[in-house]
Amino acid sequence: MIPSRFPLILAPTPLHRLQRASESLNLDLWIKRDDLTGFAFGGNKGRKLEYLLAEIQASGAQAVLTCGAAQSNFIRQLGVGCLMLGVECHAAVMEVPFDQGAGRPKGALGGRSGNRRLAERAKVQFHDFPDDDWEVLFAQMEHVARELESGGKMVYRIPVGGSSFLGAYAFYEAAKELTEEFDTIVFASSSGSTQVGLATYFHGKPTRVLGIACDPEPEIAQDYAALSKELARATGLPELNAEDFELNFDYVGDGYGVPSKKGELATSWLLKREGIWLDPVYSAKAFSAILANMVYNEMGKKVLFWHTGGLPALFNDPTE
Ligand SMILES: *Cc1c(COP(=O)(O)O)cnc(C)c1O
């Protein structure tokens, strides 16, 4: 099956060489500008939403429900997509959802500004829950779904970050926009559809697909494998195993949603040379891995940084 698409973004997004950064690093460094999708303040979620919205529309649902952190980029963009379709958008959120094993981090960005403000302007209905483990948030989302259904609404559920197989498919397609070959593609990875899509496309090809984890959960590669299985079943694309996903956890810092020292330095570094902003939750952490690479020199000579957007988080205040 080939998923249908509801056009939203200006594709292909720009792909260009970072001249000054390349010179500073003695590296051939390029950037893919998914911060510039042209849809609802940009970011990688616009790609996923092209396929999700097509399915929402076909389903005839009156309400859409997802979950996440209150500062979620996905909720901000989903809200606009729902506005365009004329369906209600609901989001079950916590200010700081976390992994029980790692504990609740301090200094995470809260949800009173940035993305949440934009989402509220786009009429997203937030269902707020006290901070807890991600699994608790997923269960709360299901409660909200049942409540909406008991009111007679047909509800379309979307997993956190838009990572259903449709989100992964969007990134499989996105890989086809690259007109250059790279030794390594580096990007921020979290709910997984970006990495599953790119890794599926480059499976068996020489390009290394390296996700920089923005979540400290070690079992994340298993979740990616499950998503890959879903993608393979629905579309016939090859199924990848947990070992096929290369993830680096060294740049998470103090936890999901907590700006890292290295990320802040990376943001200033890139801004000064190229005039390009990074976001504190995802892209700054991923870019800090590229700067560290110059110490370990393990990415090859021609590297692509896939900028996944997230810029409204620059306007977020920390929770504490
Ligand atoms: C969601 C998001 C990511 C991670 O993408 P996934 O497909 O969820 O792994 C990276 N960067 C930004 C800015 C995001 O909003």
Side-chain angles (χ1 to χ4, degrees):
M1 160 248 197
I2 298 175
S4 28
R5 186 173 152 256
F6 184 101
L8 289 175
I9 70 165
L10 300 170
T13 56
L15 170 70
H16 62 93
R17 188 166 187 271
L18 296 171
Q19 309 290 6
R20 286 164 286 224
S22 291
E23 204 170 298
S24 294
L25 297 174
N26 189 25
L27 181 75
D28 195 9
L29 181 61
W30 292 62
I31 190 167
K32 178 73 171 148
R33 304 295 302 275
D34 278 10
D35 54 326
L36 302 179
T37 64
F39 171 67
F41 269 102
N44 65 343
K45 305 308 185 301
R47 292 191 181 276
K48 309 183 191 189
L49 282 165
E50 292 200 313
Y51 294 93
L52 289 164
L53 289 193
E55 207 188 65
I56 292 165
Q57 195 170 41
S59 76
Q62 295 99 21
V64 172
L65 170 66
T66 191
C67 68
Q71 51 79 18
S72 160
N73 291 299
F74 179 60
I75 295 171
R76 177 239 317 163
Q77 291 171 81
L78 174 65
V80 177
C82 288
L83 208 58
M84 292 168 74
L85 290 187
V87 298
E88 283 177 22
C89 185
H90 295 262
V93 301
M94 293 175 180
E95 283 262 300
V96 185
F98 56 91
D99 178 34
Q100 201 64 261
R104 185 184 182 284
K106 283 208 187 316
L109 295 186
R112 280 175 294 278
S113 44
N115 281 313
R116 179 161 184 162
R117 185 162 295 167
L118 294 169
E120 283 172 350
R121 276 291 302 272
K123 300 205 164 53
V124 173
Q125 298 179 46
F126 282 91
H127 304 261
D128 291 285
F129 296 98
D131 292 345
D132 209 320
D133 188 76
W134 282 100
E135 294 300 329
V136 175
L137 180 57
F138 300 155
Q140 295 291 16
M141 168 175 155
E142 195 45 37
H143 286 145
V144 175
R146 302 269 163 84
E147 243 168 67
L148 292 167
E149 284 167 344
S150 68
K153 290 192 177 109
M154 181 174 162
V155 178
Y156 185 97
R157 295 162 173 76
I158 305 181
V160 64
S163 282
S164 74
F165 82 89
L166 291 168
Y169 183 77
F171 268 90
Y172 171 80
E173 285 294 311
K176 298 178 184 170
E177 290 178 14
L178 299 180
T179 50
E180 301 270 333
E181 278 185 26
F182 298 96
D183 294 322
T184 305
I185 301 176
V186 183
F187 53 93
S189 200
S190 174
S191 70
S193 34
T194 302
Q195 183 148 3
V196 171
L198 293 178
T200 302
Y201 182 84
F202 286 103
H203 190 59
K205 299 188 177 82
T207 299
R208 182 175 167 205
V209 174
L210 174 60
I212 306 303
C214 299
D215 267 276
E217 295 187 43
E219 67 279 5
I220 218 164
Q222 266 76 42
D223 297 345
Y224 290 12
L227 181 57
S228 172
K229 177 177 246 161
E230 209 193 306
L231 177 67
R233 286 213 178 126
T235 63
L237 288 169
E239 181 181 334
L240 308 188
N241 304 312
E243 313 80 69
D244 294 320
F245 298 106
E246 198 185 348
L247 274 158
N248 183 310
F249 287 87
D250 296 345
Y251 303 92
V252 177
D254 290 339
Y256 174 72
V258 186
S260 70
K261 187 84 200 293
K262 283 178 184 156
E264 298 302 285
L265 289 171
T267 302
S268 304
W269 191 95
L270 186 65
L271 191 65
K272 193 156 78 182
R273 283 165 182 81
E274 301 285 348
I276 295 172
W277 282 105
L278 298 168
D279 86 284
V281 180
Y282 300 98
S283 53
K285 291 181 179 179
F287 198 83
S288 73
I290 293 181
L291 294 186
N293 160 69
M294 297 330 294
V295 182
Y296 304 110
N297 202 12
E298 56 182 21
M299 292 179 185
K301 266 287 150 214
K302 189 167 177 183
V303 174
L304 175 66
F305 174 64
W306 199 303
H307 193 325
T308 45
L311 300 182
L314 287 162
F315 303 103
N316 262 89
D317 298 322
T319 44
E320 59 224 297

